[in-house]
Amino acid sequence: MYQFSSKLKITAIALMVIGLIGIIISFASAPSTEAEAAEILAHQTDAHGAHGGDAHATKEISHDEHHEHADKDAHHADTTHDAHADHHAEEGHDAGHLAHVLHQLQNRPWAAFYVALFFFTFVTVVVFAFLNIQRVAQAGWSIVLFRVMEGISGFLPYVSVIFLGFLIITALHGNHLFVWMAEGTVDPSSPNFDPIIANKSGWLNVPRWLICSIIYLVGWNVFVYLNRKHSVLQDNASDLKNYYKNYKFGVAFLAFFIFTESMSVWDWIMGLDPHWFSTLFGWYVFATAVVSALTVIAMVTVYLKSKGYLEIVNNSHLHDLAKFMFGFSIFWTYLWFAQFMLIWYADMPEETTYFVQRFDEYKLLFLGMIPLNFILPVLMLVNSDFKRIPQIVLGTGTIILIGHYIDVFVMIMPATVGDQWGFGWGEVGSVLFFLGLFIYAVFTTISKAPLIAKGNPFLHESEHFHY
Amino acid sequence: MSTNKVIHALYNDDDVLMDAVKTVKEANHHIEEVFTPFPVHGLDKLLGLPHTRLAICAFIYGLCGLSFAIWMTNYMMIQDWPQDIGGKPNFAWIYNMPAFVPIMFELTVFFAAHLMVITFYMRSRLWPFKEAENPDPRTTDDIFLMEIPVEDNEEELTALLNTTNAVEIKVIEKH
């Protein structure tokens, strides 16, 4: 049995408290009026000016783009008032721009929280999916890691409660993350009317969105509960009844998951850019999550082994996990590039805007993902000997996790805060908060059952697994 | 070495062979060669054979392929005759890079795979019309054969091999 050390518990709680403080600061410092937004903007321009001409110029260009945007909107609204058109447009110009920036600045703490929330939720549910893949495939090597994976899955109920709360607040207009939820987007008489969103309102409507989201989360949690229950029951069972039940639940979960995974990604991520669509987006987000999930499994395993709790795990098990990290890093790159290259090649305006914005406003992060998520993992983990060294797996794993957090960041932020992004209290605080909660929940779950799933018929094979 | 004699010890099971290899190794005799009809897991480790470096070769060949692809696409599409083909940018190689990635990938794999296979053939001296070096045709079917050079210790070796459940022990003059 694993003993949750008090040192780790205090670390987890400290992370949660620091994270929470960061989140509160970010919410408190978000502007509530346009005047405050203008002040922040002025401050930004000053700061950038001090840093040098280039940064200043970029800022100015992006501002100009907003001006153009606002101009068009203003003209559109004023077309009927010919006499005052110019005057109004001039006023609408500034006001429209400020309103736009204000929304982005108000979105920032929410979006920062959402990035971390989504990342941790998805990674956890994919750890559970990986556990079920291992069960259904009757893998012989990974049985000694099942309790680690079950422990990580134990984080899902915690994060689901927060996610559910977040979804309900969003549905009740507590934030402006999803533009299609705004007032009047489907009402032809409203100045907010958006025919593209209106055409998609059969899918993009709040009741459907909320109900489906609840089905995904509750469904996943039910499977996590059933899996854990039968896994623990099997420990002291004299027959294999629970094992077979878990096998069947595994098959059912994977069937359920392949649909809900895709749909939840449409709802939770692609819905942020309701004018844009991509066919392989669901798999692409899955690829991000599965690399991170395997990394998390490897990291928790290495930690527990270093504390002497997983003596049966040998470096061949680590080798296999690292091989999966390596393989799925390439798989992620394949999907990332397939999505990018098809859109870049055809260059159809309605699809390309997605990448134009990311390339213009998030260039460092967008391009930085490639070395972090592809080049470094491939070069580090291509060597068979390196895959057996815990320090290398931990180091590469850290790079991979940072890279995939950035990936989620670049999925969510451009649609919600545009060029007003940064790494401040909210972003760092959210990650620390969820990291603390993750550590707390995972190691609490792990400490509640023996670290080796005794009743599994493949356990003997797994104990003697070597590659 | 005074003679060209070798001992062939034949076995009909891979586990027995492994035990025999261990016995002979422990008695500090040099094993010249082992012939088996199929790969015997762990035999190379027992014989103390060094790790293959074929994977390192493949990695380097892959880098060569990647470099070749980059050079080729750059020379053909950007340097030699930069045409506007469907609006694809050709001011510099990097602007059109995504279009070249499939070629870069395939050539990397092509070079890595083929050159590695050719390296393997050359290092293991395999080619068409090569004379087979099989000491006993049964080793391609169900017999395992261990070959040990004799250095004035024929009796001692035979006695040792007799303890290893060999189905047949032959002393052969090699040319």
Side-chain angles (χ1 to χ4, degrees):
Chain A
M1 286 289 266
Y2 170 72
Q3 202 77 43
F4 195 173
S5 73
S6 59
K7 215 166 116 191
L8 192 62
K9 200 178 262 177
I10 289 168
T11 313
I13 292 169
L15 282 173
M16 275 191 271
V17 171
I18 297 169
L20 212 53
I21 292 171
I23 293 169
I24 291 168
I25 291 177
S26 76
F27 272 98
S29 56
S32 51
T33 62
E34 289 182 7
E36 283 174 51
E39 204 174 300
I40 291 173
L41 269 189
H43 188 70
Q44 272 179 359
T45 318
D46 283 352
H48 280 282
H51 280 304
D54 273 350
H56 191 72
T58 341
K59 247 326 184 253
E60 280 305 301
I61 287 165
S62 60
H63 277 197
D64 282 349
E65 274 167 21
H66 283 300
H67 281 254
E68 263 173 47
H69 209 71
D71 251 346
K72 259 186 236 156
D73 286 351
H75 277 299
H76 187 71
D78 284 338
T79 35
T80 46
H81 305 280
D82 273 331
H84 300 289
D86 281 337
H87 181 61
H88 274 239
E90 206 44 53
E91 265 183 8
H93 174 106
D94 267 356
H97 174 54
L98 267 183
H100 185 64
V101 172
L102 175 66
H103 270 142
Q104 292 182 333
L105 289 171
Q106 282 177 336
N107 269 343
R108 209 181 130 185
W110 286 102
F113 186 75
Y114 187 42
V115 171
L117 175 63
F118 179 84
F119 183 67
F120 276 86
T121 310
F122 237 62
V123 169
T124 310
V125 75
V126 173
V127 167
F128 184 62
F130 185 74
L131 168 65
N132 281 297
I133 290 170
Q134 298 295 304
R135 275 197 197 288
V136 170
Q138 302 186 345
W141 66 278
S142 53
I143 315 301
V144 293
L145 303 173
F146 272 17
R147 281 289 143 84
V148 175
M149 298 185 216
E150 282 171 20
I152 298 170
S153 312
F155 180 51
L156 195 63
Y158 293 78
V159 83
S160 295
V161 170
I162 300 176
F163 209 115
L164 215 56
F166 182 85
L167 291 171
I168 291 167
I169 292 172
T170 308
L172 295 175
H173 300 287
N175 58 52
H176 306 285
L177 290 184
F178 293 87
V179 268
W180 58 267
M181 285 183 188
E183 209 80 23
T185 47
V186 293
D187 175 11
S189 63
S190 160
N192 250 342
F193 179 64
D194 184 328
I196 295 174
I197 292 175
N199 279 335
K200 294 182 179 182
S201 61
W203 180 266
L204 292 181
N205 61 76
V206 173
R208 203 278 321 155
W209 181 83
L210 193 58
I211 289 167
C212 278
S213 300
I214 291 170
I215 291 173
Y216 313 145
L217 286 172
V218 172
W220 297 341
N221 275 290
V222 167
F223 279 108
V224 167
Y225 170 78
L226 289 173
N227 169 75
R228 175 68 169 186
K229 187 181 142 199
H230 291 95
S231 173
V232 173
L233 277 178
Q234 182 63 41
D235 269 1
N236 298 313
S238 51
D239 55 12
L240 287 178
K241 228 162 61 195
N242 296 300
Y243 171 77
Y244 286 121
K245 266 191 193 159
N246 253 354
Y247 180 90
K248 284 173 192 158
F249 290 142
V251 173
F253 172 74
L254 290 176
F256 176 73
F257 179 69
I258 198 69
F259 288 103
T260 50
E261 191 272 333
S262 224
M263 283 163 65
S264 60
V265 169
W266 303 337
D267 280 346
W268 295 341
I269 302 284
M270 210 151 77
L272 293 164
D273 288 284
H275 285 196
W276 183 77
F277 46 86
S278 169
T279 317
L280 59 67
F281 199 68
W283 313 330
Y284 164 58
V285 180
F286 174 73
T288 277
V290 76
V291 187
S292 315
L294 286 157
T295 307
V296 168
I297 296 170
M299 283 176 145
V300 175
T301 306
V302 168
Y303 172 77
L304 286 172
K305 190 168 166 55
S306 76
K307 295 283 164 198
Y309 287 105
L310 279 173
E311 271 153 29
I312 254 162
V313 172
N314 56 38
N315 61 8
S316 290
H317 294 109
L318 190 64
H319 189 152
D320 266 28
L321 283 173
K323 247 188 288 186
F324 269 114
M325 285 160 64
F326 173 76
F328 278 111
S329 284
I330 295 172
F331 179 67
W332 173 87
T333 315
Y334 164 57
L335 291 181
W336 177 86
F337 184 71
Q339 174 168 286
F340 170 76
M341 196 260 225
L342 287 184
I343 289 174
W344 172 85
Y345 213 109
D347 202 20
M348 304 207 304
E350 72 269 29
E351 291 176 349
T352 304
T353 46
Y354 183 83
F355 285 115
V356 167
Q357 191 194 7
R358 274 153 184 80
F359 209 81
D360 285 348
E361 294 170 3
Y362 291 76
K363 190 171 255 153
L364 179 68
L365 296 184
F366 185 75
L367 296 177
M369 278 195 295
I370 302 165
L372 290 180
N373 291 348
F374 176 60
I375 298 172
L376 282 170
V378 163
L379 291 181
M380 293 302 284
L381 295 179
V382 73
N383 188 315
S384 184
D385 296 326
F386 282 8
K387 283 193 274 256
R388 293 165 178 273
I389 303 171
Q391 287 83 352
I392 286 188
V393 174
L394 283 183
T396 315
T398 312
I399 294 169
I400 288 176
L401 286 181
I402 293 171
H404 287 282
Y405 170 80
I406 291 175
D407 189 20
V408 176
F409 190 88
V410 175
M411 285 178 209
I412 292 176
M413 284 297 180
T416 49
V417 304
D419 63 348
Q420 297 297 324
W421 65 275
F423 284 97
W425 285 101
E427 285 79 6
V428 177
S430 304
V431 171
L432 293 183
F433 173 74
F434 282 107
L435 184 64
L437 190 63
F438 177 85
I439 292 170
Y440 186 82
V442 168
F443 288 100
T444 306
T445 317
I446 289 177
S447 67
K448 279 184 182 154
L451 267 169
I452 298 299
K454 264 188 302 183
N456 195 300
F458 292 100
L459 178 61
H460 187 68
E461 183 184 339
S462 180
E463 281 172 359
H464 295 95
F465 171 73
H466 79 105
Y467 170 75
Chain B
M1 226 192 284
S2 54
T3 61
N4 287 327
K5 273 186 186 169
V6 292
I7 289 191
H8 282 176
L10 277 67
Y11 301 87
N12 57 9
D13 188 272
D14 49 343
D15 284 334
V16 179
L17 171 78
M18 296 278 271
D19 288 339
V21 169
K22 217 180 285 175
T23 315
V24 175
K25 273 265 158 194
E26 272 163 14
N28 280 324
H29 293 296
H30 170 70
I31 298 174
E32 182 66 33
E33 194 70 82
V34 177
F35 295 85
T36 65
F38 53 77
V40 177
H41 191 73
L43 184 60
D44 52 340
K45 211 177 257 177
L46 216 53
L47 286 168
L49 298 180
H51 260 292
T52 172
R53 288 164 295 179
L54 214 48
I56 299 168
C57 288
F59 187 79
I60 294 166
Y61 296 148
L63 289 183
C64 292
L66 182 65
S67 314
F68 175 69
I70 291 171
W71 170 81
M72 183 179 76
T73 48
N74 180 55
Y75 178 70
M76 288 178 178
M77 305 303 291
I78 310 296
Q79 304 299 330
D80 190 38
W81 196 2
Q83 281 198 101
D84 185 339
I85 303 167
K88 282 280 160 283
N90 55 16
F91 321 117
W93 180 81
I94 196 72
Y95 288 115
N96 208 3
M97 195 275 271
F100 302 143
V101 165
I103 300 156
M104 286 152 62
F105 171 76
E106 294 294 349
L107 277 176
T108 308
V109 175
F110 180 88
F111 272 61
H114 288 81
L115 291 179
M116 174 177 70
V117 168
I118 292 167
T119 309
F120 168 73
Y121 284 155
M122 286 165 66
R123 292 290 292 148
S124 23
R125 279 171 286 153
L126 282 174
W127 52 82
F129 312 114
K130 177 192 160 75
E131 196 137 346
E133 293 167 357
N134 201 333
D136 189 323
R138 289 173 294 167
T139 57
T140 62
D141 185 10
D142 63 342
I143 290 290
F144 303 81
L145 187 152
M146 175 161 56
E147 184 179 297
I148 304 164
V150 178
E151 300 166 48
D152 303 328
N153 54 358
E154 191 181 320
E155 262 143 62
E156 183 203 337
L157 259 178
T158 317
L160 178 71
L161 288 171
N162 267 323
T163 65
T164 59
N165 292 325
V167 288
E168 210 179 307
I169 297 171
K170 298 186 287 189
V171 182
I172 285 178
E173 194 82 38
K174 237 191 172 181
H175 303 293

